[in-house]
């Protein structure tokens, strides 16, 4: 709670008013099992020296504009069963953007390292505050934050495309810093953390791809 009070005051929130409430909300979020290859590992288990917060990136798309249909074809070609839905690349090819050029730039909420079956792997994590409401009921029970509903949210908001770009940014970052780097050995995957559903129970709020 002391840490929450300090951070709240730095961001102009009244620690006296919000400190206890924020602490009560954050505790289950930090202690929710991430699932996927990390199983029961929680955010609270990741030491500070094993993570990078708000990792900034930028990279060039090359000299020529990339058309949406070519980008979608590349995604479909490299697709694996653990990547994105079968029809996602097709839907993306019919999206509103015609081409991309210049630079991609942004910040990854969290990059962290954790062991998987004895091998240290790097992961991307993105925090989401979405109110999942698949039935349009304006109610947000915990059951809304299970994998099928999170998968729908991922596709609806193009988060699959986002994590592909984040993964590419991390891949290039690691390649420039690890002498024996290989994607297969070092990259672990992407977690999308819908923290409104992270209440300390496995199977809710954490989506892995």
């Amino acid at each position: 709670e002391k840490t929450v009070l300090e951070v709240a005051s730095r961001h102009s929130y009244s620690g006296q008013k919000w400190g206890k409430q924020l602490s009560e909300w954050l505790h289950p979020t930090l202690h929710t099992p991430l699932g996927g290859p990390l199983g029961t590992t929680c955010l609270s288990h990741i030491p500070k020296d094993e993570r990078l917060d708000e990792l900034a990136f930028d990279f060039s798309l090359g000299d020529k504009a990339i058309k949406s249909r070519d980008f979608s074809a590349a995604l479909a070609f490299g697709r694996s069963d653990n990547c994105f839905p079968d029809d996602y690349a097709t839907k993306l090819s019919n999206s509103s953007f015609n081409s991309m050029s210049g630079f991609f730039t942004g910040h990854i909420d969290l990059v962290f390292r954790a062991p998987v079956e004895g091998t240290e792997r790097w992961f991307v994590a993105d925090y989401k505050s979405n109110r999942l409401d698949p039935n349009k009921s304006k109610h947000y029970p915990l059951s809304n934050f299970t994998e099928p509903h999170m998968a729908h949210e991922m596709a609806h908001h193009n988060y699959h495309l986002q994590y592909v770009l984040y993964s590419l940014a991390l891949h290039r970052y690691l390649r420039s810093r690890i002498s024996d780097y290989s994607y297969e050995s070092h990259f672990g995957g992407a977690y999308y953390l819908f923290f409104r559903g992270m209440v300390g129970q496995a199977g809710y709020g954490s989506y892995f791809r």
Side-chain angles (χ1 to χ4, degrees):
E1 187 172 337
K2 180 182 177 182
T3 301
V4 172
L5 290 173
E6 292 173 353
V7 173
S9 63
R10 287 206 301 268
H11 292 274
S12 303
Y13 287 96
S14 170
Q16 220 170 18
K17 181 179 181 181
W18 293 104
K20 185 176 181 181
Q21 183 78 70
L22 287 171
S23 296
E24 291 175 355
W25 287 341
L26 282 171
H27 187 271
T29 301
L30 296 175
H31 291 82
T32 296
L34 294 174
L38 296 181
T40 59
T41 298
C42 306
L43 290 174
S44 61
H45 297 157
I46 302 168
K48 189 171 183 179
D49 59 359
E50 295 293 331
R51 72 174 196 254
L52 297 168
D53 300 306
E54 292 290 334
L55 179 65
F57 70 88
D58 58 70
F59 55 83
S60 171
L61 293 175
D63 298 329
K64 296 182 179 180
I66 300 173
K67 297 184 181 300
S68 61
R69 65 174 181 270
D70 295 331
F71 186 80
S72 302
L75 288 182
F77 178 78
R79 183 190 176 277
S80 70
D81 289 337
N82 198 35
C83 191
F84 43 79
D86 291 329
D87 60 347
Y88 183 72
T90 302
K91 289 180 179 178
L92 191 63
S93 67
N94 298 322
S95 63
S96 58
F97 77 89
N98 294 317
S99 64
M100 299 179 289
S101 59
F103 279 80
F104 268 120
T105 184
H107 293 79
I108 304 172
D109 286 343
L110 175 66
V111 168
F112 67 95
R113 183 170 61 180
V116 178
E117 298 180 351
T119 301
E120 295 290 335
R121 294 183 179 271
W122 288 90
F123 295 85
V124 168
D126 196 70
Y127 306 123
K128 294 299 181 188
S129 61
N130 306 43
R131 298 178 184 271
L132 272 62
D133 187 14
N135 300 316
K136 309 299 181 185
S137 63
K138 295 187 178 180
H139 295 286
Y140 317 101
L142 184 59
S143 57
N144 285 6
F145 292 86
T146 54
E147 183 163 348
H149 298 314
M150 290 188 290
H152 177 270
E153 197 80 354
M154 293 286 294
H156 180 69
H157 291 288
N158 269 337
Y159 294 154
H160 294 291
L161 175 59
Q162 183 186 39
Y163 78 65
V164 167
L165 296 174
Y166 282 4
S167 298
L168 175 59
L170 178 58
H171 164 69
R172 293 187 174 188
Y173 177 86
L174 296 176
R175 188 177 60 185
S176 69
R177 285 162 173 78
I178 300 176
S179 59
D180 62 343
Y181 172 77
S182 75
Y183 177 86
E184 293 77 12
S185 300
H186 292 93
F187 187 79
Y191 280 95
Y192 271 65
L193 305 177
F194 296 85
F195 58 77
R196 293 180 186 274
M198 297 177 72
V199 296
Q201 298 181 40
Y204 297 98
S206 179
Y207 184 88
F208 175 78
R209 278 297 177 267

PDB file of all heavy atoms in Angstrom, residues 91-123:
ATOM      1  N   LYS A  91      -9.639 -11.137 -43.249  1.00  0.00           N
ATOM      2  CA  LYS A  91     -10.374  -9.953 -42.813  1.00  0.00           C
ATOM      3  C   LYS A  91      -9.480  -8.716 -42.834  1.00  0.00           C
ATOM      4  O   LYS A  91      -9.922  -7.631 -43.200  1.00  0.00           O
ATOM      5  CB  LYS A  91     -10.934 -10.179 -41.401  1.00  0.00           C
ATOM      6  CG  LYS A  91     -12.074 -11.181 -41.344  1.00  0.00           C
ATOM      7  CD  LYS A  91     -12.583 -11.353 -39.917  1.00  0.00           C
ATOM      8  CE  LYS A  91     -13.746 -12.336 -39.884  1.00  0.00           C
ATOM      9  NZ  LYS A  91     -14.231 -12.553 -38.492  1.00  0.00           N
ATOM     10  N   LEU A  92      -8.229  -8.896 -42.474  1.00  0.00           N
ATOM     11  CA  LEU A  92      -7.301  -7.759 -42.457  1.00  0.00           C
ATOM     12  C   LEU A  92      -7.068  -7.226 -43.866  1.00  0.00           C
ATOM     13  O   LEU A  92      -6.935  -6.015 -44.068  1.00  0.00           O
ATOM     14  CB  LEU A  92      -5.981  -8.182 -41.822  1.00  0.00           C
ATOM     15  CG  LEU A  92      -4.994  -7.067 -41.484  1.00  0.00           C
ATOM     16  CD1 LEU A  92      -5.579  -6.136 -40.436  1.00  0.00           C
ATOM     17  CD2 LEU A  92      -3.685  -7.666 -40.973  1.00  0.00           C
ATOM     18  N   SER A  93      -7.061  -8.113 -44.843  1.00  0.00           N
ATOM     19  CA  SER A  93      -6.840  -7.679 -46.228  1.00  0.00           C
ATOM     20  C   SER A  93      -7.997  -6.821 -46.733  1.00  0.00           C
ATOM     21  O   SER A  93      -7.838  -6.055 -47.687  1.00  0.00           O
ATOM     22  CB  SER A  93      -6.654  -8.882 -47.151  1.00  0.00           C
ATOM     23  OG  SER A  93      -7.853  -9.631 -47.246  1.00  0.00           O
ATOM     24  N   ASN A  94      -9.150  -6.939 -46.092  1.00  0.00           N
ATOM     25  CA  ASN A  94     -10.321  -6.145 -46.463  1.00  0.00           C
ATOM     26  C   ASN A  94     -10.509  -4.931 -45.559  1.00  0.00           C
ATOM     27  O   ASN A  94     -11.564  -4.299 -45.569  1.00  0.00           O
ATOM     28  CB  ASN A  94     -11.584  -7.007 -46.409  1.00  0.00           C
ATOM     29  CG  ASN A  94     -11.521  -8.162 -47.385  1.00  0.00           C
ATOM     30  OD1 ASN A  94     -11.020  -8.018 -48.488  1.00  0.00           O
ATOM     31  ND2 ASN A  94     -12.031  -9.316 -46.965  1.00  0.00           N
ATOM     32  N   SER A  95      -9.486  -4.613 -44.761  1.00  0.00           N
ATOM     33  CA  SER A  95      -9.597  -3.516 -43.804  1.00  0.00           C
ATOM     34  C   SER A  95      -9.466  -2.174 -44.495  1.00  0.00           C
ATOM     35  O   SER A  95      -9.238  -2.079 -45.699  1.00  0.00           O
ATOM     36  CB  SER A  95      -8.546  -3.659 -42.701  1.00  0.00           C
ATOM     37  OG  SER A  95      -7.257  -3.561 -43.251  1.00  0.00           O
ATOM     38  N   SER A  96      -9.584  -1.120 -43.703  1.00  0.00           N
ATOM     39  CA  SER A  96      -9.679   0.228 -44.272  1.00  0.00           C
ATOM     40  C   SER A  96      -8.346   0.788 -44.771  1.00  0.00           C
ATOM     41  O   SER A  96      -8.326   1.669 -45.615  1.00  0.00           O
ATOM     42  CB  SER A  96     -10.270   1.190 -43.226  1.00  0.00           C
ATOM     43  OG  SER A  96      -9.466   1.200 -42.061  1.00  0.00           O
ATOM     44  N   PHE A  97      -7.206   0.315 -44.276  1.00  0.00           N
ATOM     45  CA  PHE A  97      -5.950   0.909 -44.728  1.00  0.00           C
ATOM     46  C   PHE A  97      -5.522   0.287 -46.066  1.00  0.00           C
ATOM     47  O   PHE A  97      -5.680  -0.904 -46.302  1.00  0.00           O
ATOM     48  CB  PHE A  97      -4.852   0.766 -43.669  1.00  0.00           C
ATOM     49  CG  PHE A  97      -4.226  -0.600 -43.564  1.00  0.00           C
ATOM     50  CD1 PHE A  97      -3.120  -0.917 -44.344  1.00  0.00           C
ATOM     51  CD2 PHE A  97      -4.711  -1.552 -42.678  1.00  0.00           C
ATOM     52  CE1 PHE A  97      -2.516  -2.172 -44.236  1.00  0.00           C
ATOM     53  CE2 PHE A  97      -4.122  -2.796 -42.575  1.00  0.00           C
ATOM     54  CZ  PHE A  97      -3.021  -3.106 -43.352  1.00  0.00           C
ATOM     55  N   ASN A  98      -4.994   1.111 -46.957  1.00  0.00           N
ATOM     56  CA  ASN A  98      -4.563   0.649 -48.268  1.00  0.00           C
ATOM     57  C   ASN A  98      -3.088   0.278 -48.301  1.00  0.00           C
ATOM     58  O   ASN A  98      -2.692  -0.670 -48.957  1.00  0.00           O
ATOM     59  CB  ASN A  98      -4.845   1.726 -49.328  1.00  0.00           C
ATOM     60  CG  ASN A  98      -6.330   1.954 -49.522  1.00  0.00           C
ATOM     61  OD1 ASN A  98      -7.095   1.010 -49.572  1.00  0.00           O
ATOM     62  ND2 ASN A  98      -6.730   3.218 -49.608  1.00  0.00           N
ATOM     63  N   SER A  99      -2.286   1.059 -47.573  1.00  0.00           N
ATOM     64  CA  SER A  99      -0.859   0.784 -47.561  1.00  0.00           C
ATOM     65  C   SER A  99      -0.230   1.405 -46.329  1.00  0.00           C
ATOM     66  O   SER A  99      -0.815   2.269 -45.673  1.00  0.00           O
ATOM     67  CB  SER A  99      -0.186   1.324 -48.833  1.00  0.00           C
ATOM     68  OG  SER A  99      -0.286   2.741 -48.873  1.00  0.00           O
ATOM     69  N   MET A 100       0.978   0.942 -46.014  1.00  0.00           N
ATOM     70  CA  MET A 100       1.738   1.461 -44.880  1.00  0.00           C
ATOM     71  C   MET A 100       3.132   1.823 -45.366  1.00  0.00           C
ATOM     72  O   MET A 100       3.696   1.141 -46.225  1.00  0.00           O
ATOM     73  CB  MET A 100       1.833   0.419 -43.764  1.00  0.00           C
ATOM     74  CG  MET A 100       0.508  -0.007 -43.180  1.00  0.00           C
ATOM     75  SD  MET A 100       0.719  -1.256 -41.877  1.00  0.00           S
ATOM     76  CE  MET A 100       1.200  -2.679 -42.872  1.00  0.00           C
ATOM     77  N   SER A 101       3.684   2.877 -44.800  1.00  0.00           N
ATOM     78  CA  SER A 101       5.044   3.274 -45.162  1.00  0.00           C
ATOM     79  C   SER A 101       5.656   4.068 -44.010  1.00  0.00           C
ATOM     80  O   SER A 101       4.953   4.458 -43.069  1.00  0.00           O
ATOM     81  CB  SER A 101       5.038   4.119 -46.445  1.00  0.00           C
ATOM     82  OG  SER A 101       4.249   5.286 -46.260  1.00  0.00           O
ATOM     83  N   GLY A 102       6.969   4.292 -44.102  1.00  0.00           N
ATOM     84  CA  GLY A 102       7.633   5.092 -43.075  1.00  0.00           C
ATOM     85  C   GLY A 102       8.109   4.256 -41.905  1.00  0.00           C
ATOM     86  O   GLY A 102       8.756   3.223 -42.090  1.00  0.00           O
ATOM     87  N   PHE A 103       7.769   4.696 -40.682  1.00  0.00           N
ATOM     88  CA  PHE A 103       8.243   4.044 -39.468  1.00  0.00           C
ATOM     89  C   PHE A 103       7.069   3.609 -38.596  1.00  0.00           C
ATOM     90  O   PHE A 103       6.029   4.272 -38.549  1.00  0.00           O
ATOM     91  CB  PHE A 103       9.107   5.005 -38.644  1.00  0.00           C
ATOM     92  CG  PHE A 103      10.520   5.119 -39.125  1.00  0.00           C
ATOM     93  CD1 PHE A 103      10.834   5.918 -40.206  1.00  0.00           C
ATOM     94  CD2 PHE A 103      11.545   4.415 -38.498  1.00  0.00           C
ATOM     95  CE1 PHE A 103      12.138   6.035 -40.654  1.00  0.00           C
ATOM     96  CE2 PHE A 103      12.844   4.523 -38.936  1.00  0.00           C
ATOM     97  CZ  PHE A 103      13.153   5.331 -40.015  1.00  0.00           C
ATOM     98  N   PHE A 104       7.262   2.473 -37.931  1.00  0.00           N
ATOM     99  CA  PHE A 104       6.398   2.102 -36.822  1.00  0.00           C
ATOM    100  C   PHE A 104       7.087   2.560 -35.538  1.00  0.00           C
ATOM    101  O   PHE A 104       8.288   2.364 -35.367  1.00  0.00           O
ATOM    102  CB  PHE A 104       6.203   0.583 -36.745  1.00  0.00           C
ATOM    103  CG  PHE A 104       5.006   0.089 -37.492  1.00  0.00           C
ATOM    104  CD1 PHE A 104       5.141  -0.824 -38.518  1.00  0.00           C
ATOM    105  CD2 PHE A 104       3.730   0.528 -37.153  1.00  0.00           C
ATOM    106  CE1 PHE A 104       4.037  -1.288 -39.211  1.00  0.00           C
ATOM    107  CE2 PHE A 104       2.627   0.064 -37.834  1.00  0.00           C
ATOM    108  CZ  PHE A 104       2.767  -0.838 -38.878  1.00  0.00           C
ATOM    109  N   THR A 105       6.326   3.161 -34.666  1.00  0.00           N
ATOM    110  CA  THR A 105       6.893   3.587 -33.388  1.00  0.00           C
ATOM    111  C   THR A 105       5.859   3.381 -32.283  1.00  0.00           C
ATOM    112  O   THR A 105       4.652   3.431 -32.539  1.00  0.00           O
ATOM    113  CB  THR A 105       7.324   5.065 -33.439  1.00  0.00           C
ATOM    114  OG1 THR A 105       7.955   5.429 -32.213  1.00  0.00           O
ATOM    115  CG2 THR A 105       6.135   5.988 -33.684  1.00  0.00           C
ATOM    116  N   GLY A 106       6.318   3.116 -31.088  1.00  0.00           N
ATOM    117  CA  GLY A 106       5.391   2.911 -29.989  1.00  0.00           C
ATOM    118  C   GLY A 106       6.098   2.484 -28.721  1.00  0.00           C
ATOM    119  O   GLY A 106       7.332   2.555 -28.619  1.00  0.00           O
ATOM    120  N   HIS A 107       5.310   2.040 -27.747  1.00  0.00           N
ATOM    121  CA  HIS A 107       5.825   1.556 -26.469  1.00  0.00           C
ATOM    122  C   HIS A 107       5.129   0.244 -26.119  1.00  0.00           C
ATOM    123  O   HIS A 107       3.910   0.132 -26.254  1.00  0.00           O
ATOM    124  CB  HIS A 107       5.566   2.568 -25.341  1.00  0.00           C
ATOM    125  CG  HIS A 107       6.336   3.831 -25.478  1.00  0.00           C
ATOM    126  ND1 HIS A 107       5.959   4.851 -26.343  1.00  0.00           N
ATOM    127  CD2 HIS A 107       7.479   4.253 -24.850  1.00  0.00           C
ATOM    128  CE1 HIS A 107       6.828   5.835 -26.243  1.00  0.00           C
ATOM    129  NE2 HIS A 107       7.749   5.512 -25.361  1.00  0.00           N
ATOM    130  N   ILE A 108       5.891  -0.730 -25.706  1.00  0.00           N
ATOM    131  CA  ILE A 108       5.343  -2.007 -25.240  1.00  0.00           C
ATOM    132  C   ILE A 108       5.170  -1.906 -23.730  1.00  0.00           C
ATOM    133  O   ILE A 108       6.128  -1.600 -23.015  1.00  0.00           O
ATOM    134  CB  ILE A 108       6.271  -3.176 -25.594  1.00  0.00           C
ATOM    135  CG1 ILE A 108       6.533  -3.212 -27.105  1.00  0.00           C
ATOM    136  CG2 ILE A 108       5.666  -4.497 -25.134  1.00  0.00           C
ATOM    137  CD1 ILE A 108       7.585  -4.227 -27.523  1.00  0.00           C
ATOM    138  N   ASP A 109       3.960  -2.149 -23.241  1.00  0.00           N
ATOM    139  CA  ASP A 109       3.685  -1.991 -21.808  1.00  0.00           C
ATOM    140  C   ASP A 109       4.699  -2.734 -20.946  1.00  0.00           C
ATOM    141  O   ASP A 109       5.243  -2.182 -19.985  1.00  0.00           O
ATOM    142  CB  ASP A 109       2.279  -2.496 -21.466  1.00  0.00           C
ATOM    143  CG  ASP A 109       1.196  -1.546 -21.940  1.00  0.00           C
ATOM    144  OD1 ASP A 109       1.514  -0.375 -22.227  1.00  0.00           O
ATOM    145  OD2 ASP A 109       0.037  -1.965 -22.019  1.00  0.00           O
ATOM    146  N   LEU A 110       4.944  -3.990 -21.287  1.00  0.00           N
ATOM    147  CA  LEU A 110       5.850  -4.794 -20.462  1.00  0.00           C
ATOM    148  C   LEU A 110       6.556  -5.829 -21.324  1.00  0.00           C
ATOM    149  O   LEU A 110       5.926  -6.524 -22.132  1.00  0.00           O
ATOM    150  CB  LEU A 110       5.061  -5.505 -19.353  1.00  0.00           C
ATOM    151  CG  LEU A 110       5.839  -6.479 -18.464  1.00  0.00           C
ATOM    152  CD1 LEU A 110       6.887  -5.740 -17.630  1.00  0.00           C
ATOM    153  CD2 LEU A 110       4.893  -7.243 -17.549  1.00  0.00           C
ATOM    154  N   VAL A 111       7.868  -5.922 -21.154  1.00  0.00           N
ATOM    155  CA  VAL A 111       8.670  -7.010 -21.704  1.00  0.00           C
ATOM    156  C   VAL A 111       9.338  -7.683 -20.508  1.00  0.00           C
ATOM    157  O   VAL A 111       9.894  -7.000 -19.643  1.00  0.00           O
ATOM    158  CB  VAL A 111       9.729  -6.484 -22.693  1.00  0.00           C
ATOM    159  CG1 VAL A 111      10.745  -7.569 -23.023  1.00  0.00           C
ATOM    160  CG2 VAL A 111       9.064  -5.961 -23.956  1.00  0.00           C
ATOM    161  N   PHE A 112       9.249  -8.998 -20.441  1.00  0.00           N
ATOM    162  CA  PHE A 112       9.848  -9.664 -19.281  1.00  0.00           C
ATOM    163  C   PHE A 112      10.426 -11.017 -19.664  1.00  0.00           C
ATOM    164  O   PHE A 112      10.078 -11.593 -20.694  1.00  0.00           O
ATOM    165  CB  PHE A 112       8.825  -9.829 -18.152  1.00  0.00           C
ATOM    166  CG  PHE A 112       7.685 -10.770 -18.445  1.00  0.00           C
ATOM    167  CD1 PHE A 112       7.735 -12.104 -18.058  1.00  0.00           C
ATOM    168  CD2 PHE A 112       6.544 -10.312 -19.087  1.00  0.00           C
ATOM    169  CE1 PHE A 112       6.681 -12.964 -18.319  1.00  0.00           C
ATOM    170  CE2 PHE A 112       5.475 -11.164 -19.349  1.00  0.00           C
ATOM    171  CZ  PHE A 112       5.538 -12.492 -18.966  1.00  0.00           C
ATOM    172  N   ARG A 113      11.325 -11.492 -18.815  1.00  0.00           N
ATOM    173  CA  ARG A 113      11.977 -12.785 -19.018  1.00  0.00           C
ATOM    174  C   ARG A 113      11.545 -13.746 -17.926  1.00  0.00           C
ATOM    175  O   ARG A 113      11.469 -13.378 -16.749  1.00  0.00           O
ATOM    176  CB  ARG A 113      13.498 -12.611 -18.993  1.00  0.00           C
ATOM    177  CG  ARG A 113      14.264 -13.889 -19.267  1.00  0.00           C
ATOM    178  CD  ARG A 113      15.745 -13.620 -19.480  1.00  0.00           C
ATOM    179  NE  ARG A 113      16.375 -13.011 -18.316  1.00  0.00           N
ATOM    180  CZ  ARG A 113      17.653 -12.683 -18.235  1.00  0.00           C
ATOM    181  NH1 ARG A 113      18.449 -12.885 -19.279  1.00  0.00           N
ATOM    182  NH2 ARG A 113      18.149 -12.131 -17.148  1.00  0.00           N
ATOM    183  N   ALA A 114      11.225 -14.987 -18.320  1.00  0.00           N
ATOM    184  CA  ALA A 114      10.787 -15.996 -17.359  1.00  0.00           C
ATOM    185  C   ALA A 114      11.153 -17.378 -17.896  1.00  0.00           C
ATOM    186  O   ALA A 114      11.209 -17.578 -19.109  1.00  0.00           O
ATOM    187  CB  ALA A 114       9.283 -15.898 -17.113  1.00  0.00           C
ATOM    188  N   PRO A 115      11.407 -18.330 -16.996  1.00  0.00           N
ATOM    189  CA  PRO A 115      11.799 -19.673 -17.449  1.00  0.00           C
ATOM    190  C   PRO A 115      10.602 -20.495 -17.915  1.00  0.00           C
ATOM    191  O   PRO A 115       9.533 -20.463 -17.313  1.00  0.00           O
ATOM    192  CB  PRO A 115      12.430 -20.288 -16.192  1.00  0.00           C
ATOM    193  CG  PRO A 115      11.762 -19.585 -15.049  1.00  0.00           C
ATOM    194  CD  PRO A 115      11.484 -18.191 -15.536  1.00  0.00           C
ATOM    195  N   VAL A 116      10.806 -21.225 -19.004  1.00  0.00           N
ATOM    196  CA  VAL A 116       9.829 -22.186 -19.514  1.00  0.00           C
ATOM    197  C   VAL A 116      10.560 -23.505 -19.723  1.00  0.00           C
ATOM    198  O   VAL A 116      11.448 -23.605 -20.570  1.00  0.00           O
ATOM    199  CB  VAL A 116       9.206 -21.714 -20.844  1.00  0.00           C
ATOM    200  CG1 VAL A 116       8.237 -22.769 -21.378  1.00  0.00           C
ATOM    201  CG2 VAL A 116       8.500 -20.382 -20.675  1.00  0.00           C
ATOM    202  N   GLU A 117      10.208 -24.485 -18.893  1.00  0.00           N
ATOM    203  CA  GLU A 117      10.852 -25.800 -18.964  1.00  0.00           C
ATOM    204  C   GLU A 117      12.372 -25.679 -18.928  1.00  0.00           C
ATOM    205  O   GLU A 117      13.095 -26.304 -19.715  1.00  0.00           O
ATOM    206  CB  GLU A 117      10.398 -26.556 -20.219  1.00  0.00           C
ATOM    207  CG  GLU A 117       8.900 -26.841 -20.228  1.00  0.00           C
ATOM    208  CD  GLU A 117       8.456 -27.583 -21.473  1.00  0.00           C
ATOM    209  OE1 GLU A 117       9.284 -27.725 -22.401  1.00  0.00           O
ATOM    210  OE2 GLU A 117       7.291 -28.017 -21.523  1.00  0.00           O
ATOM    211  N   GLY A 118      12.856 -24.827 -18.037  1.00  0.00           N
ATOM    212  CA  GLY A 118      14.291 -24.683 -17.825  1.00  0.00           C
ATOM    213  C   GLY A 118      14.998 -23.737 -18.778  1.00  0.00           C
ATOM    214  O   GLY A 118      16.206 -23.517 -18.652  1.00  0.00           O
ATOM    215  N   THR A 119      14.266 -23.163 -19.729  1.00  0.00           N
ATOM    216  CA  THR A 119      14.863 -22.232 -20.686  1.00  0.00           C
ATOM    217  C   THR A 119      14.312 -20.830 -20.480  1.00  0.00           C
ATOM    218  O   THR A 119      13.098 -20.648 -20.374  1.00  0.00           O
ATOM    219  CB  THR A 119      14.557 -22.673 -22.138  1.00  0.00           C
ATOM    220  OG1 THR A 119      15.079 -23.987 -22.359  1.00  0.00           O
ATOM    221  CG2 THR A 119      15.190 -21.716 -23.133  1.00  0.00           C
ATOM    222  N   GLU A 120      15.198 -19.838 -20.392  1.00  0.00           N
ATOM    223  CA  GLU A 120      14.767 -18.461 -20.219  1.00  0.00           C
ATOM    224  C   GLU A 120      14.206 -17.916 -21.529  1.00  0.00           C
ATOM    225  O   GLU A 120      14.869 -17.965 -22.566  1.00  0.00           O
ATOM    226  CB  GLU A 120      15.950 -17.584 -19.781  1.00  0.00           C
ATOM    227  CG  GLU A 120      16.505 -17.924 -18.406  1.00  0.00           C
ATOM    228  CD  GLU A 120      15.559 -17.537 -17.278  1.00  0.00           C
ATOM    229  OE1 GLU A 120      14.736 -16.622 -17.484  1.00  0.00           O
ATOM    230  OE2 GLU A 120      15.645 -18.149 -16.207  1.00  0.00           O
ATOM    231  N   ARG A 121      12.982 -17.429 -21.466  1.00  0.00           N
ATOM    232  CA  ARG A 121      12.338 -16.876 -22.655  1.00  0.00           C
ATOM    233  C   ARG A 121      11.812 -15.464 -22.371  1.00  0.00           C
ATOM    234  O   ARG A 121      11.500 -15.129 -21.231  1.00  0.00           O
ATOM    235  CB  ARG A 121      11.197 -17.774 -23.127  1.00  0.00           C
ATOM    236  CG  ARG A 121      11.666 -19.139 -23.622  1.00  0.00           C
ATOM    237  CD  ARG A 121      10.511 -19.965 -24.150  1.00  0.00           C
ATOM    238  NE  ARG A 121      10.946 -21.254 -24.636  1.00  0.00           N
ATOM    239  CZ  ARG A 121      11.352 -21.509 -25.883  1.00  0.00           C
ATOM    240  NH1 ARG A 121      11.364 -20.510 -26.768  1.00  0.00           N
ATOM    241  NH2 ARG A 121      11.735 -22.710 -26.245  1.00  0.00           N
ATOM    242  N   TRP A 122      11.711 -14.679 -23.443  1.00  0.00           N
ATOM    243  CA  TRP A 122      11.237 -13.306 -23.336  1.00  0.00           C
ATOM    244  C   TRP A 122       9.804 -13.201 -23.840  1.00  0.00           C
ATOM    245  O   TRP A 122       9.446 -13.786 -24.858  1.00  0.00           O
ATOM    246  CB  TRP A 122      12.140 -12.379 -24.150  1.00  0.00           C
ATOM    247  CG  TRP A 122      13.486 -12.166 -23.529  1.00  0.00           C
ATOM    248  CD1 TRP A 122      14.613 -12.911 -23.726  1.00  0.00           C
ATOM    249  CD2 TRP A 122      13.836 -11.142 -22.593  1.00  0.00           C
ATOM    250  NE1 TRP A 122      15.650 -12.411 -22.975  1.00  0.00           N
ATOM    251  CE2 TRP A 122      15.199 -11.325 -22.274  1.00  0.00           C
ATOM    252  CE3 TRP A 122      13.134 -10.088 -22.016  1.00  0.00           C
ATOM    253  CZ2 TRP A 122      15.873 -10.492 -21.391  1.00  0.00           C
ATOM    254  CZ3 TRP A 122      13.800  -9.252 -21.141  1.00  0.00           C
ATOM    255  CH2 TRP A 122      15.161  -9.456 -20.834  1.00  0.00           C
ATOM    256  N   PHE A 123       9.002 -12.401 -23.118  1.00  0.00           N
ATOM    257  CA  PHE A 123       7.588 -12.260 -23.439  1.00  0.00           C
ATOM    258  C   PHE A 123       7.202 -10.788 -23.575  1.00  0.00           C
ATOM    259  O   PHE A 123       7.778  -9.915 -22.928  1.00  0.00           O
ATOM    260  CB  PHE A 123       6.724 -12.879 -22.335  1.00  0.00           C
ATOM    261  CG  PHE A 123       6.875 -14.364 -22.187  1.00  0.00           C
ATOM    262  CD1 PHE A 123       7.894 -14.894 -21.405  1.00  0.00           C
ATOM    263  CD2 PHE A 123       6.011 -15.232 -22.834  1.00  0.00           C
ATOM    264  CE1 PHE A 123       8.048 -16.273 -21.261  1.00  0.00           C
ATOM    265  CE2 PHE A 123       6.155 -16.600 -22.704  1.00  0.00           C
ATOM    266  CZ  PHE A 123       7.169 -17.120 -21.916  1.00  0.00           C
TER     267      PHE A 123
END
